[in-house]
Amino acid sequence: MDRGVELIGGMEQRAIVLVAYDPEWPADFAREQRRIETALGAAAIRIDHIGSTAIPGLSAKPIIDINLTVRDPDDEAAYLPALESAGYLLRVRERGHRMVRTPELDVHVHVCAPDSDWQRRHLLFRDWLRHNDDDREAYGALKKTLAAQEWSDMNEYAAAKGPLIGEITIRAEQWARRSGWTVRAQDARS
């Protein structure tokens, strides 16, 4: 990967398997949320359910994506040992963002800073797809088409979604301006 991204363990080829939305995913998120809260205490500023498993009605890889906001993701000593002690493994290191995951590969925790672009983009995309049926359906259809292909690395699959994500994000930003959407404190831990 480029952009100063370090993939701990290198590239991975994994089958992309989508399943229908599972109403148990919010409970799975809540379990991981408690695990993170227990490990980090007040160092966990926000814990948000993001990604496709956070969007009712959307098919997804059965991987719970979590956005964890800490004061400074680049200060790994402030949170990473606690997450590792709780069973998470470091997978991605880049400036302003880390990703840890479970050994079972069923939970990805993205670590970001408060008010970061990473935080805002993922929460806005989630909220827009929860709000807009057409974009949710288009995104789901693209994911199904792409999942039917073979990928040498999961990051290639993610990159192939990029153009549609860009188009959807433009509409989401317009909605945010019209509706006054912001990253609000009451959205935390949801």
Side-chain angles (χ1 to χ4, degrees), residues 21 26 29 48-58 122-136 175 181 187 189-190:
Y21 179 81
F29 161 73
D48 294 285
H49 191 185
I50 61 168
S52 295
T53 62
I55 303 164
L58 186 60
H122 288 86
L123 294 175
L124 175 59
F125 193 78
R126 177 200 67 188
D127 289 355
W128 174 247
L129 290 186
R130 285 176 173 175
H131 173 79
N132 187 275
D133 295 340
D134 292 340
D135 277 344
R136 183 175 55 251
W175 170 71
W181 181 95
D187 294 334
R189 303 182 192 278
S190 63

Side-chain angles (χ1 to χ4, degrees), residues 3 18 45 53 59 67 71 76 96 108 134 145 147 152 167 169 173:
R3 303 176 353 250
L18 298 180
I45 297 169
T53 62
S59 61
N67 203 71
R71 188 183 59 74
E76 291 181 1
H108 292 174
D134 292 340
T145 298
S152 62
E167 292 173 23
T169 298
E173 289 290 357

Side-chain angles (χ1 to χ4, degrees), residues 40 75-85 88-90 93 100:
L40 294 182
D75 181 10
E76 291 181 1
Y79 65 89
L80 188 55
L83 288 176
E84 289 173 333
S85 291
Y88 297 101
L89 305 170
L90 181 63
R93 177 183 285 129
V100 299

Side-chain angles (χ1 to χ4, degrees), residues 178-189:
R178 284 191 317 270
S179 69
W181 181 95
T182 61
V183 175
R184 293 181 293 273
Q186 66 263 30
D187 294 334
R189 303 182 192 278

Side-chain angles (χ1 to χ4, degrees), residues 7-18 60-65 89 91-92 99-110 146-158:
L7 290 178
I8 313 307
M11 290 177 45
E12 294 178 334
Q13 183 176 24
R14 292 172 51 197
I16 306 296
V17 178
L18 298 180
K61 298 184 306 294
I63 299 171
I64 302 299
D65 282 302
L89 305 170
R91 171 64 178 147
V92 176
M99 192 269 275
V100 299
R101 63 186 181 182
T102 56
E104 301 81 14
L105 310 179
D106 61 348
V107 178
H108 292 174
V109 180
H110 297 273
L146 295 175
Q149 301 174 29
E150 189 168 323
W151 302 93
S152 62
D153 179 64
M154 287 195 64
N155 294 301
E156 291 178 352
Y157 164 79

